[in-house]
Amino acid sequence: MSTIEGGNGGDGEVTGEQELSATRPTEVSRLDRVVIRFAGDSGDGMQLTGDRFTSEAAAFGNDLATLPNYPAEIRAPQGTIPGVSSFQVHFADYDILTPGDRPDVLVAMNPAALKANLGDVPRGGMVIVNTDEFTKRNLSKVGYEADPLGDDSLSAFEVYEVAMSTLTQGALADTGLGKKDAERCKNMFALGLLSWMYHRPTEGTEAFLREKFAAKPPIAEANILAFRAGWNYGETTEAFKTTFEVAPAKLPQGTYRQITGNTALAYGIVAAGQRSELPVLLGTYPITPASDILHELSKHKNFGVLTFQAEDEIAGIGAALGASYGGALGVTSTSGPGLALKSETVGLGVMIELPLVVIDVQRGGPSTGLPTKTEQADLLQAMYGRNSESPVPIVAPCSPSDCFDAALEATRIALTYRTPVLLLSDGAIANGSEPWLIPDVTTLPDLRVSFASEPNAADGSGEFWPYVRDPETLAREWAVPGTAGLQHRVGGLEKADGKGNISYDPDNHDAMVRLRQAKIDGIDVPDLEVDDPSNGEARVLALGWGSTYGPIGAACRRVRGKGVPIAQAHLRHLNPFPANLGEVLAAYDTVVVPEMNMGQLAALLRAKYLVDVHSHTKIAGLPFKAEELEHVFTDITDRTSGANKEVVVK
């Protein structure tokens, strides 16, 4: 956590028994942004290395965005391309929107990491390799017929060869660790080298290592020694003539912390419980990439949060809906395959009209698909993936930090309108991180609800009718079981309007279906805001939802930088749509919708608004790059501009 006071920041004071060298090379290059990718075997600790570098960048005051990328297998064959794990961090002295398209620096811990990632490095980019792993056996595993470090195949890059394993083992020679355990610390050597190269603070990492390995002090000190060895290697070797500085970003004043999307969702649920003054039950089953929501919420029992790891997805949502029936805030979390299993209980929640927050952290599919890769292809499942007419509101955050607000918004809708709400995050948001401005709690929405307290029967019988509705929201009254005089029954069979008795009457069923739909259609959501610096000159609108916000925004910046006007808008509410969406769509000649699916939002927009949306899709398990969307937007704006030109016939 760091406090940003107008963008101040600097190197931290060095602590520890072995102080790091305090001198600097004479040449320091000042940059406004850098993208670094750490890549290695899935056992090399690249996620930890990247996360620590990110934490120090956040503490320093840079704006940042990250992209972890790792295999789904517990351990793919060592040294093979399927086993490569990487972590990309983009940090800058200004507001950034994406983890970066291409790494300026690639740290490759073995030949597989080099081969898997070299294609993303631009010409002239820096490549730092661990030469100890470039053995004949490891090279052959990934199809290298010759050592790329010994020929001219890397001539387009600035290559630094570092024997990280050997140097790490040398630094730890006196610790008593075996060779294998010592070599495991080489990721900290790489982190120390990159921390030196980019003038990152060091004391935070050393404190983290001591805390992480508190139960094993020798391991903690070994990692710290390796970290310092990497720093001192950069300081003393003649190979690196230049270091780099990226100044802190000029962010709004306040207290910031680095946060991932899953952590932000968990904090949002905690805040929702506090602001509604309701106990919270998370009924769930572990599933990638949503499990961290359970892990985080389990730490917060002191805020009235109870976590229940059920035996399966169906039991998890059943417990959550039961908690809502009992007067608590019921929440369940899952990914696409789990949402399919939960669909019947979501339908039950629609029928009995109780608040329920259903979090779906989307991943590549179908079936088990790509568990650790991102996708946003569950929109139509969220919209229609239940039997019969079962409408539910849908909310989608656009970034890791936005997950906090999205969780509060989903809770507001669920409590106000007595309905299950689908919250659609995805893998890129869930595992990615960025600085989060910690809000003032007093500014968060008041989510308190009123429970039924007395009979409400319209016929004066003194009974409680569970389906008497608020005339404004159409929400039914919420009665806590056991409240004297409010005996009632709810269930999955169709209910008579008002009384709530089981009913097979055709006219009643027609009326109840339309009432449930009208309740969702009438949900109060903000109008869609359009970002159009051209003040109406733009003829093309780039419209997105979910994690496409960053790439779309970055691409629009690039297009506008060329002097070409383009408007951007992003949907948080996908059901119901904002009331002004039709008007916004009609205001532009062309609407382009980039999605990480086969065009699901585009299909919904075409059906509802009869607009010929230009759909641009990607289903690769990876987010859009700003570069690729820049080309798409440029092509579309060129064609739209050409179509609007007057043709003079002589």
Side-chain angles (χ1 to χ4, degrees), residues 84-353:
V84 171
S85 172
S86 68
F87 190 105
Q88 183 163 300
V89 54
H90 181 193
F91 60 104
D93 65 2
Y94 62 92
D95 172 39
I96 57 175
L97 299 173
T98 75
D101 288 354
R102 301 178 182 277
D104 303 298
V105 181
L106 170 65
V107 180
M109 303 299 286
N110 61 15
L114 179 67
K115 190 163 190 177
N117 292 280
L118 187 63
D120 291 337
V121 182
R123 293 180 63 86
M126 183 184 299
V127 178
I128 302 173
V129 296
N130 176 20
T131 56
D132 288 324
E133 291 294 321
F134 280 70
T135 63
K136 185 175 181 179
R137 182 170 182 268
N138 287 345
L139 290 167
S140 65
K141 283 184 181 180
V142 295
Y144 276 125
E145 296 181 359
D147 187 348
L149 303 180
D151 56 29
D152 62 352
S153 59
L154 301 179
S155 59
F157 309 101
E158 185 180 353
V159 180
Y160 293 93
E161 301 179 18
V162 183
M164 296 185 194
S165 301
T166 299
L167 290 166
T168 301
Q169 292 170 19
L172 305 184
D174 297 331
T175 63
L177 286 181
K179 179 180 178 181
K180 186 175 181 180
D181 287 335
E183 188 178 354
R184 287 176 177 170
C185 299
K186 63 182 181 289
N187 63 323
M188 288 297 104
F189 183 97
L191 178 60
L193 176 58
L194 270 293
S195 297
W196 166 82
M197 187 176 295
Y198 287 93
H199 297 200
R200 299 293 94 183
T202 61
E203 71 276 9
T205 293
E206 295 195 10
F208 167 83
L209 291 171
R210 288 195 172 95
E211 180 179 352
K212 180 176 177 62
F213 299 107
K216 299 179 179 179
I219 299 297
E221 293 309 312
N223 278 278
I224 291 170
L225 284 174
F227 176 69
R228 291 174 175 175
W231 178 288
N232 288 325
Y233 176 80
E235 191 71 41
T236 58
T237 185
E238 295 183 0
F240 297 93
K241 303 294 185 183
T242 306
T243 61
F244 304 91
E245 287 186 351
V246 179
K250 293 179 174 60
L251 302 174
Q253 290 190 357
T255 302
Y256 287 77
R257 61 154 290 168
Q258 174 197 353
I259 201 165
T260 66
N262 276 345
T263 301
L265 281 174
Y267 288 175
I269 294 300
V270 171
Q274 293 295 296
R275 297 299 289 173
S276 63
E277 298 181 356
L278 295 175
V280 175
L281 174 76
L282 175 74
T284 190
Y285 182 78
I287 183 171
T288 302
S291 300
D292 282 342
I293 300 171
L294 167 62
H295 300 159
E296 185 61 40
L297 280 175
S298 67
K299 304 174 184 176
H300 300 292
K301 298 179 179 65
N302 56 313
F303 286 112
V305 177
L306 179 64
T307 53
F308 169 54
Q309 181 175 319
E311 66 269 27
D312 56 36
E313 297 281 6
I314 299 171
I317 189 173
L321 186 60
S324 291
Y325 176 65
L329 173 59
V331 183
T332 190
S333 57
T334 189
S335 190
L339 183 61
L341 292 169
K342 295 178 189 291
S343 62
E344 183 179 4
T345 307
V346 175
L348 176 60
V350 171
M351 173 62 78
I352 62 179
E353 301 188 46

Side-chain angles (χ1 to χ4, degrees), residues 444-458:
L444 300 181
D446 185 347
L447 301 178
R448 288 175 294 182
V449 296
S450 296
F451 291 102
S453 59
E454 57 186 21
N456 62 1

Side-chain angles (χ1 to χ4, degrees), residues 352-523:
I352 62 179
E353 301 188 46
L354 283 173
L356 178 68
V357 176
V358 182
I359 300 171
D360 174 13
V361 185
Q362 301 164 96
R363 71 189 204 188
S367 187
T368 310
L370 306 174
T372 61
K373 310 300 179 184
T374 193
E375 202 168 87
Q376 50 177 177
D378 293 349
L379 176 56
L380 293 185
Q381 181 181 201
M383 193 83 173
Y384 301 119
R386 294 160 298 282
N387 63 297
S388 189
E389 299 289 342
S390 303
V392 297
I394 303 173
V395 176
C398 67
S399 70
S401 63
D402 188 48
C403 285
F404 179 84
D405 295 321
L408 285 167
E409 176 65 358
T411 303
R412 177 191 72 86
I413 294 172
L415 293 176
T416 303
Y417 296 90
R418 312 285 197 267
T419 178
V421 178
L422 264 293
L423 190 157
L424 295 183
S425 178
D426 64 52
I429 291 176
N431 296 318
S433 60
E434 64 182 358
W436 174 50
L437 177 60
I438 299 175
D440 180 351
V441 174
T442 61
T443 66
L444 300 181
D446 185 347
L447 301 178
R448 288 175 294 182
V449 296
S450 296
F451 291 102
S453 59
E454 57 186 21
N456 62 1
D459 62 1
S461 62
E463 297 178 349
F464 176 73
W465 290 0
Y467 286 87
V468 171
R469 300 179 182 276
D470 181 297
E472 182 177 345
T473 65
L474 297 183
R476 76 172 184 87
E477 290 198 64
W478 190 5
V480 177
T483 304
L486 303 188
Q487 294 88 344
H488 67 284
R489 179 178 61 183
V490 295
L493 293 172
E494 183 62 280
K495 300 295 178 289
D497 186 20
K499 294 182 179 181
N501 297 328
I502 296 172
S503 173
Y504 294 96
D505 179 73
D507 291 338
N508 176 80
H509 177 59
D510 184 277
M512 291 296 281
V513 169
R514 296 181 188 280
L515 272 171
R516 290 188 287 262
Q517 183 65 60
K519 181 175 69 171
I520 303 306
D521 291 342
I523 291 173

